[in-house]
Amino acid sequence: MRPLPERIRAGDILVGDGAWGTLLMARGLAAGQPPETFNLSRPEVIEDVARLYLVAGADVITTNTFGGSPVRLRLHSLQDQVEAINRSAVEAARRAVGSRAYVSGSIGPSGRLLKPYGDLDPGELVESFAVQAQALAQAGVDLFCIETMTDLVEAQIAVRAARAAGPELPIVATMTFEPTRRGFFTVMGVSVEQASRGLAEAGADLVGSNCGNGVDAMVAVARAFHDCSSLPLAIQANAGLPETVEGALVYGETPEQFGAAVPAFIDAGVQLVGGCCGTTPAHVRAMRDAVSRAARS
């Protein structure tokens, strides 16, 4: 593969993977069980999911490390296994994709609120993200993905930790927004413009949004980013908002809807398009086909 920064500079449109939790639950992950435990106990499952997304056409495969920081793992008494959890996830993804896709080191929020809104000291969070980012970099990720952030300060800390751990590695940084009458804001009150500016200042190479919205709302989010950012954009939409059907969460947006939204994402400057909650390899395949059609036109 060509180096990822080179492809971004050339204007290539890359396809990301989709949801992991849904596929892991279908393979035995229990309700309330941290997905990261599968990295150690069932790495073959992690490898299998990564391979499914590769076959579907993803250029970028995310590691199963969303909750792999020490602060987040402490919620499950797993903080002593940070290095092993992150390394195993990268190794499983690499076994699945080899050099046919980029392995993206996922770093999600800590699950706690920073002072003064909560009890988490900023210094502890800095150290936590630094430990995870270093573990991912040493294991050989091709890029970092700071995702599902709602607090801009926390997101910036994670971006800076990733930059320090892998100075040469691209960083994708995405936040989760909700629609309001005044535009899109995170639950912590961060606007798209504030996110765009703050993530860029921290050192992100691609900015954008994941989770929280289906494709139609995410097209609007992408356009809002396009209006205030000069950086390439990354968007990973949910398959709509979940509904409870016979006790199970069901996401209603189809692969066809995701494929149909790709031209609008491209027009808005999106260079990495993937899926979040509720999406499957079928959604990724639909996006892959749409990106390929756009490249030929």
Side-chain angles (χ1 to χ4, degrees):
M1 293 185 299
R2 292 161 56 199
L4 180 57
E6 179 182 316
R7 295 187 65 183
I8 294 296
R9 287 193 298 270
D12 290 358
I13 311 301
L14 303 175
V15 177
D17 58 10
W20 276 74
T22 306
L23 274 63
L24 293 181
M25 286 188 285
R27 288 159 176 76
L29 182 71
Q33 180 182 0
E36 293 78 16
T37 58
F38 266 34
N39 298 347
L40 302 179
S41 65
R42 300 188 64 188
E44 73 283 356
V45 173
I46 304 303
E47 188 175 342
D48 178 51
V49 172
R51 188 174 293 109
L52 286 173
Y53 281 123
L54 174 72
V55 172
D59 299 299
V60 179
I61 302 295
T62 309
T63 59
N64 184 44
T65 56
F66 178 83
S69 66
V71 168
R72 185 71 173 255
L73 290 174
R74 189 173 294 119
L75 301 175
H76 307 283
S77 300
L78 294 170
Q79 66 272 18
D80 294 334
Q81 300 187 63
V82 171
E83 195 275 336
I85 283 172
N86 284 273
R87 184 187 67 249
S88 296
V90 177
E91 291 174 347
R94 187 66 72 190
R95 285 194 300 272
V97 308
S99 60
R100 294 171 291 174
Y102 304 101
V103 174
S104 175
S106 171
I107 299 177
S110 65
R112 292 170 59 188
L113 292 176
L114 284 164
K115 295 178 179 178
Y117 305 104
D119 61 355
L120 181 59
D121 184 81
E124 183 180 358
L125 185 62
V126 169
E127 175 64 19
S128 179
F129 282 142
V131 168
Q132 183 183 15
Q134 189 65 37
L136 290 168
Q138 290 179 346
V141 296
D142 300 305
L143 69 154
F144 289 104
C145 181
I146 315 302
E147 56 181 332
T148 326
M149 292 288 178
T150 58
D151 182 341
L152 181 56
V153 173
E154 181 173 21
Q156 290 176 312
I157 290 173
V159 170
R160 291 180 178 122
R163 178 60 67 216
E168 76 290 353
L169 298 179
I171 299 173
V172 178
T174 56
M175 302 189 74
T176 300
F177 299 89
E178 296 184 354
T180 75
R181 284 177 292 181
R182 297 184 298 114
F184 289 94
F185 290 82
T186 76
V187 295
M188 297 295 289
V190 181
S191 69
V192 169
E193 183 177 2
Q194 289 170 324
S196 173
R197 182 174 61 252
L199 295 173
E201 289 174 352
D205 298 293
L206 292 87
V207 298
S209 181
N210 77 295
C211 204
N213 292 288
V215 286
D216 289 341
M218 277 298 205
V219 168
V221 173
R223 287 171 176 159
F225 267 100
H226 185 65
D227 289 343
C228 62
S229 177
S230 60
L231 292 177
L233 306 181
I235 293 289
Q236 292 178 285
N238 283 358
L241 297 178
E243 298 180 359
T244 302
V245 178
E246 297 181 354
L249 287 179
V250 176
Y251 291 83
E253 291 190 358
T254 65
E256 291 75 19
Q257 287 174 280
F258 270 67
V262 165
F265 283 133
I266 295 175
D267 287 344
V270 175
Q271 285 190 247
L272 174 58
V273 58
C276 203
C277 301
T279 57
T280 67
H283 292 80
V284 171
R285 170 56 64 190
M287 289 185 285
R288 170 82 275 161
D289 291 345
V291 168
S292 297
R293 287 194 297 271
R296 293 194 297 267
S297 63

